[in-house]
Amino acid sequence: MACDKFLTLNNGIKMPALGIGTWQAPENEVEEALNLALEAGYRHIDCAPVYLNEKVIGRVLKSWIDSGKLTREELFITTKLPPPALKAEVVEHVLKNSLADLQLSYVDLYLVHVPFGIMFDAAKSEFVRDENGVVMDLTTDHLAIWKSMEAVLEKGLTKSIGLSNFNKNQIQRILDNCKVPPANLQIEHHVYLQQKDLIEFCKSNGITVTAYAPLGSKGIANINKAAGVDRELPDLMDIEEVKDIASAHDKTPAQVLLRWIIERGISAIPKSTNPGRLRQNLDIFDFSLSEEELDKLNALDSNIRVCDFSFFKGIERHPEFPFTS
Ligand code: A2P
């Protein structure tokens, strides 16, 4: 079962609507999971250097390409400019580091991971923290960074450029000042956080949308806990309406949550390192939701943001923190 739906980016490039997310996929699990995912038919892989697993992903991709099982052109690889590198002068260097780790000469999509900069301690390989929380880089200049994004595009190091976690005002400012508009916005999107306004805005500006945490990203609870944030997260797979629709189609709640996203012209990148679940998440192209079912799911919107970055204590004070407007 492969993904037979594609989103066409504003540069004509086609992105498989369903990809595999690799956040919270530890190095020791990701190799086997990615091999299984490629065998299952996944071709769109969402990566980021802050997920600390690009080297393993690179080894798997190389083995598939070298053995002739796949060509580079069949893959759609996304990676991201990480929060400690939100500086115009380092964009090319940081992208080249990701390319070296991924063992690729280009990625298909390069995203600015977040709109706010954070200081990083390379020696300790962790974000810098003091008694107030994470130490912010307050010099974040979106327009200067975007110029560097356009430059790496021009150099062929990526086929497309885009944004992640930016709000409407931040995107509008880039649109007003860019040579190349963003091709994609990656945001948290699921039945409990639908972001209808932002998605409408992207559609009207020709920007495709990718949903991260499409299944509610329960794993964020562990990241929150490690950062001392005690927060109950909802279980999207336990919502009555979702379960009812799933049983009506003989599908799982996860498959309904993903199908609801894909059916509305949005891309989804569920993370799984479990063989059965990663196959299940791709097996959503043989059924469709009725108007009535779509309405029921649309009505679940509750403005519950799972990834609010509270694990970066104090980050809401950054002038470019996106979730205030
Ligand atoms: P696992 O990797 O063990 O399968 P999201 O993509 O929203 O961030 O959600 C990822 C989380 O949901 C992970 O904890 C993942 O665990 C779990 N998950 C992924 N696919 C499914 C599924 N089909 N059913 C239940 N849980 C899933």
Side-chain angles (χ1 to χ4, degrees):
M1 173 76 59
C3 168
D4 65 0
K5 264 196 194 270
F6 293 82
L7 270 60
T8 305
L9 308 185
N10 56 11
N11 53 13
I13 290 175
K14 289 195 185 305
M15 173 171 79
L18 197 95
I20 188 153
T22 62
W23 187 25
Q24 304 169 57
E27 273 207 317
N28 61 334
E29 290 177 22
V30 85
E31 179 164 359
E32 191 188 345
L34 189 54
N35 274 309
L36 288 167
L38 291 169
E39 264 152 37
Y42 284 90
R43 295 295 176 261
H44 171 177
I45 302 157
D46 183 76
C47 313
V50 291
Y51 305 160
L52 303 176
N53 52 17
E54 286 194 323
K55 277 196 171 140
V56 183
I57 293 172
R59 279 205 295 275
V60 176
L61 295 179
K62 185 169 164 44
S63 77
W64 275 69
I65 293 170
D66 283 357
S67 69
K69 284 203 278 185
L70 263 185
T71 62
R72 172 66 185 91
E73 293 67 36
E74 288 173 273
L75 290 165
F76 188 98
I77 311 292
T78 301
T79 191
K80 311 184 188 92
L81 181 72
L86 292 201
K87 295 177 188 304
E89 64 276 17
V90 303
V91 172
E92 181 173 336
H93 173 73
V94 171
L95 172 52
K96 281 182 170 166
N97 279 346
S98 272
L99 290 173
D101 285 351
L102 292 166
Q103 306 201 43
L104 300 173
S105 59
Y106 68 90
V107 286
D108 298 279
L109 178 60
Y110 197 48
L111 302 174
V112 183
H113 203 153
V114 290
F116 48 78
I118 303 179
M119 306 302 271
F120 193 74
D121 184 335
K124 290 191 187 152
S125 199
E126 62 186 33
F127 291 105
V128 181
R129 290 185 160 85
D130 65 13
E131 63 285 1
N132 299 315
V134 284
V135 177
M136 295 177 261
D137 172 6
L138 298 171
T139 65
T140 316
D141 177 347
H142 291 171
L143 299 185
I145 292 166
W146 193 253
K147 276 206 171 72
S148 296
M149 294 290 283
E150 291 174 333
V152 291
L153 177 74
E154 175 85 14
K155 285 196 170 171
L157 300 174
T158 181
K159 299 275 182 200
S160 326
I161 49 177
L163 302 167
S164 181
N165 294 302
F166 277 55
N167 68 27
K168 199 163 136 180
N169 292 342
Q170 291 168 328
I171 301 167
Q172 185 66 62
R173 194 157 160 256
I174 288 177
L175 286 171
D176 290 343
N177 292 281
C178 66
K179 274 199 295 195
V180 181
N184 179 260
L185 175 70
Q186 188 177 122
I187 47 169
E188 179 178 340
H189 175 68
H190 45 70
V191 286
Y192 275 173
L193 185 74
Q194 300 194 11
Q195 312 220 57
K196 289 172 187 156
D197 261 16
L198 182 55
I199 289 176
E200 206 37 59
F201 169 79
C202 285
K203 286 203 168 150
S204 64
N205 283 287
I207 303 170
T208 56
V209 174
T210 298
Y212 76 75
L215 303 174
S217 204
K218 288 285 272 182
I220 289 184
N222 299 329
I223 296 174
N224 282 342
K225 211 163 152 200
V229 179
D230 183 18
R231 190 178 156 218
E232 194 66 32
L233 296 180
D235 185 349
L236 304 190
M237 285 165 271
D238 201 34
I239 301 171
E240 284 310 318
E241 289 85 340
V242 175
K243 289 196 289 188
D244 287 349
I245 296 171
S247 56
H249 289 278
D250 206 12
K251 289 283 176 183
T252 66
Q255 289 172 315
V256 168
L257 293 168
L258 295 172
R259 182 73 206 182
W260 169 77
I261 294 173
I262 302 301
E263 209 151 300
R264 291 160 35 260
I266 296 167
S267 158
I269 45 166
K271 172 264 171 185
S272 184
T273 47
N274 171 283
R277 289 193 285 275
L278 66 82
R279 280 192 208 102
Q280 180 195 119
N281 294 344
L282 194 60
D283 184 16
I284 59 166
F285 297 100
D286 59 351
F287 78 112
S288 53
L289 300 167
S290 68
E291 282 301 317
E292 194 191 334
E293 288 168 335
L294 287 171
D295 289 346
K296 269 195 191 148
L297 296 168
N298 292 344
L300 293 173
D301 200 5
S302 326
N303 201 27
I304 299 175
R305 189 182 292 280
V306 168
C307 183
D308 61 0
F309 296 110
S310 50
F311 48 80
F312 288 143
K313 187 169 167 245
I315 197 62
E316 66 286 352
R317 295 193 307 270
H318 194 288
E320 294 290 3
F321 185 72
F323 306 143
T324 46
S325 50

